[in-house]
Amino acid sequence: MKPFYLVFTNTALTTKEIIEYYGYRWEIEVSFRYKKQRLGLNDYEMRSFKGIERFWSLVYLIYNFLEIERYKSNVKENLGAILDKIKIKNKANFIGFIYEKLSEDKSKQELLLNLGIPA
């Protein structure tokens, strides 16, 4: 492991306290990085405060949903793996729905209507 340096301005802290604080900070940094890269926190282009507030609320709602799913799964997986599993499950459900509708000899227009897509 390469050596690294932690710089703190509070000289009253012990080495143990600095490492402990850095551990908390690291969790926060990883959380923000995940939200920016996987949940689109960096991708909004809104000007109104209300729009930004709503967007951030949605991102954090999704983040909490993923945390709950991870907790329910009783598996030590990262949130990216949980998100990928949900996406795969949704794709499988979507394909199953289409297959079911096609098995009923529905027309293309009926299928699109069922999907909420204008024909």
Side-chain angles (χ1 to χ4, degrees), residues 22-104:
Y22 186 77
Y24 296 136
R25 180 68 190 177
W26 183 252
E27 287 180 26
I28 293 167
E29 291 297 329
V30 169
S31 171
F32 271 113
R33 182 177 180 195
Y34 180 79
K35 289 170 190 151
K36 287 178 179 181
Q37 290 181 345
R38 294 295 303 262
L39 301 182
L41 191 58
N42 250 7
D43 298 334
Y44 66 93
E45 293 181 13
M46 294 169 227
R47 296 184 184 189
S48 75
F49 180 76
K50 191 169 201 114
I52 293 169
E53 190 176 49
R54 287 176 177 166
F55 181 78
W56 276 57
S57 295
L58 283 173
V59 169
Y60 279 89
L61 180 68
I62 293 166
Y63 185 79
N64 285 322
F65 168 76
L66 292 172
E67 285 288 5
I68 290 167
E69 290 299 308
R70 176 166 54 180
Y71 177 79
K72 289 191 318 191
S73 74
N74 292 323
V75 177
K76 298 282 183 188
E77 290 182 304
N78 64 33
L79 291 180
I82 298 293
L83 181 59
D84 292 340
K85 282 184 178 181
I86 291 170
K87 286 180 178 180
I88 290 169
K89 183 180 175 184
N90 285 340
K91 285 178 185 177
N93 288 342
F94 183 68
I95 291 169
F97 172 79
I98 291 173
Y99 179 79
E100 181 183 307
K101 294 301 176 185
L102 290 174
S103 298
E104 296 172 2

